[in-house]
Amino acid sequence: MIETTSTGVLALIGLMTLVTLVTRFGGVFAMSFVRISPRIESFINTMASSVLIAIIMPLAFSGDAGAIAALSTTAAIMLATKKPLPSIAAGIIAAGLVRYFL
Amino acid sequence: MKSASYSYQLQPAKIRSEFFRLLPISLFVVAFGAAFGLAAAQAGLTPLETLLMSGAVFAGASQFAAIDMWGPQVSTLPLLAVVFAINSRHLLMGASLYPMLKNVSPGKRYGLLLVLTDANWAVSAQEYQNGRHNLEVILGGGLVLWMAWVIGTLLGVYFGGLLQDPKSLGLDMVLGCFLLAMALGGKQSPRILVSWTVAAVASLAAWKWLPANMHVVVGALAGGVIGYFWLEKHADSEQVQEEATS
């Protein structure tokens, strides 16, 4: 327990910063002890895009109709055009429209 | 490796252009920052403390979670455990950049990582999948995202009451749509699609049944395991060719 006096708050912010820094540095630091074989390279590559999927899926499943409209619109347009900005913009507009009308 | 000549040269001009490239998405980050500033002010943090947290921690989701646990007293270990769990995706994100980061000096390597966050990492990781090496976006993009987060926080602290509900405008979906677009902008092979399916199922299962905030790491590692056992047959020769021609 830390009391949220001004020193206490500073301590909490300092600790949060430290923990976050460990996560920012830790993966790279650990990798410096690993020899990058083709197998590790392949692991890293599939893991990287899986991070994105793993962030998005629960977002879609816990989201409202607007969230689902946004993600599916972005996905459809991105797959068709491969242009990120129009895809994202269309997704946002879809969410806004669905929430306005539903 | 001791008398290292690091092969990756960061180009100042490219850092600048990546700064401006991520400026549009940063405008949305200002809106999230403002929402955070407002929430922190309502939880009783002073403006200076709120700014300090945004500037130093620079990890939105974990900051919102911290504010949720705020009170006259804060239980330290549970708070830090939540912050770690939410930010543990950085471990994997950083690791995925290692093939590029090993080619810059340790000082620059860890300096870049100070501003590592979802959006700039997603751009860099996507370009890496497509055979381009881009660490400049981590630095240039990271700086503009950091500035946007801090400026947004400041606006939220002082003018938060004026905020329109960002959800009704669909603004809460900006980052999700951005990350999805980055994922789909990479190469899609059967191997990638299988790993995504596994990652999707694993992350949903973890989200439903495991303690909170573990789903990203669980899903990503599950997807990675597919890559570990299923190697792209021609990846190596393609890469050599690309390096020879570039």
Side-chain angles (χ1 to χ4, degrees):
Chain A
M1 282 287 190
I2 291 186
E3 294 202 27
T4 42
T5 58
S6 52
T7 1
V9 172
L10 286 184
L12 284 170
I13 293 174
L15 289 169
M16 286 173 65
T17 306
L18 207 65
V19 167
T20 308
L21 217 53
V22 166
T23 65
R24 285 203 164 98
F25 288 174
V28 173
F29 184 72
M31 284 305 288
S32 61
F33 299 103
V34 177
R35 202 181 61 83
I36 312 256
S37 63
R39 203 171 270 281
I40 296 293
E41 172 96 34
S42 173
F43 171 80
I44 287 174
N45 283 334
T46 46
M47 178 196 76
S49 57
S50 298
V51 169
L52 297 170
I53 301 300
I55 292 175
I56 293 160
M57 285 311 286
L59 207 63
F61 271 72
S62 63
D64 59 345
I68 293 164
L71 293 172
S72 42
T73 306
T74 297
I77 298 188
M78 187 65 195
L79 286 174
T81 66
K82 292 277 173 196
K83 293 203 174 78
L85 282 180
S87 316
I88 298 164
I92 310 309
I93 293 167
L97 287 178
V98 165
R99 284 176 184 155
Y100 183 78
F101 287 112
L102 292 187
Chain B
M1 275 307 218
K2 300 131 262 160
S3 62
S5 57
Y6 295 103
S7 61
Y8 195 106
Q9 297 293 330
L10 290 168
Q11 295 158 17
K14 198 170 170 202
I15 293 171
R16 235 169 293 137
S17 71
E18 296 296 350
F19 181 96
F20 290 107
R21 185 172 159 208
L22 291 204
L23 192 59
I25 185 96
S26 298
L27 298 179
F28 294 108
V29 172
V30 172
F32 295 124
F36 172 73
L38 177 64
Q42 286 169 344
L45 272 86
T46 67
L48 197 64
E49 290 161 354
T50 310
L51 271 182
L52 191 64
M53 190 191 284
S54 278
V57 179
F58 182 45
S62 67
Q63 289 176 234
F64 273 107
I67 291 304
D68 269 345
M69 300 172 74
W70 218 258
Q73 288 191 319
V74 177
S75 4
T76 317
L77 281 182
L79 172 73
L80 296 182
V82 166
V83 169
F84 182 82
I86 294 178
N87 291 335
S88 55
R89 68 186 189 288
H90 291 141
L91 291 165
L92 304 180
M93 288 158 47
S96 77
L97 297 178
Y98 187 73
M100 286 187 279
L101 284 171
K102 72 177 181 347
N103 296 325
V104 299
S105 66
K108 284 183 187 158
R109 189 182 304 161
Y110 292 104
L112 287 175
L113 289 170
L114 288 174
V115 288
L116 175 74
T117 185
D118 296 333
N120 56 351
W121 170 79
V123 174
S124 187
Q126 190 231 62
E127 297 206 353
Y128 186 74
Q129 301 284 310
N130 294 332
R132 290 190 299 274
H133 289 192
N134 188 349
L135 286 178
E136 283 84 353
V137 71
I138 300 292
L139 183 56
L143 284 176
V144 72
L145 291 162
W146 181 84
M147 285 171 55
W149 181 243
V150 171
I151 290 170
T153 302
L154 189 70
L155 293 176
V157 165
Y158 288 108
F159 309 106
L162 304 176
L163 261 187
Q164 229 190 326
D165 178 18
K167 211 177 157 182
S168 71
L169 301 173
L171 295 186
D172 57 316
M173 293 312 297
V174 173
L175 201 61
C177 289
F178 180 82
L179 297 179
L180 182 60
M182 290 300 115
L184 297 178
K187 269 187 297 200
Q188 280 123 39
S189 60
R191 169 171 150 277
I192 293 289
L193 293 180
V194 169
S195 71
W196 284 1
T197 311
V198 170
V201 171
S203 68
L204 285 173
W207 173 66
K208 218 167 154 67
W209 290 301
L210 288 184
N213 302 316
M214 292 181 67
H215 60 272
V216 176
V217 169
V218 169
L221 288 177
V225 166
I226 300 298
Y228 187 81
F229 290 110
W230 182 353
L231 295 167
E232 201 89 86
K233 280 288 168 295
H234 306 289
D236 279 327
S237 51
E238 266 174 18
Q239 216 166 21
V240 170
Q241 271 181 346
E242 251 165 18
E243 266 162 18
T245 50
S246 64

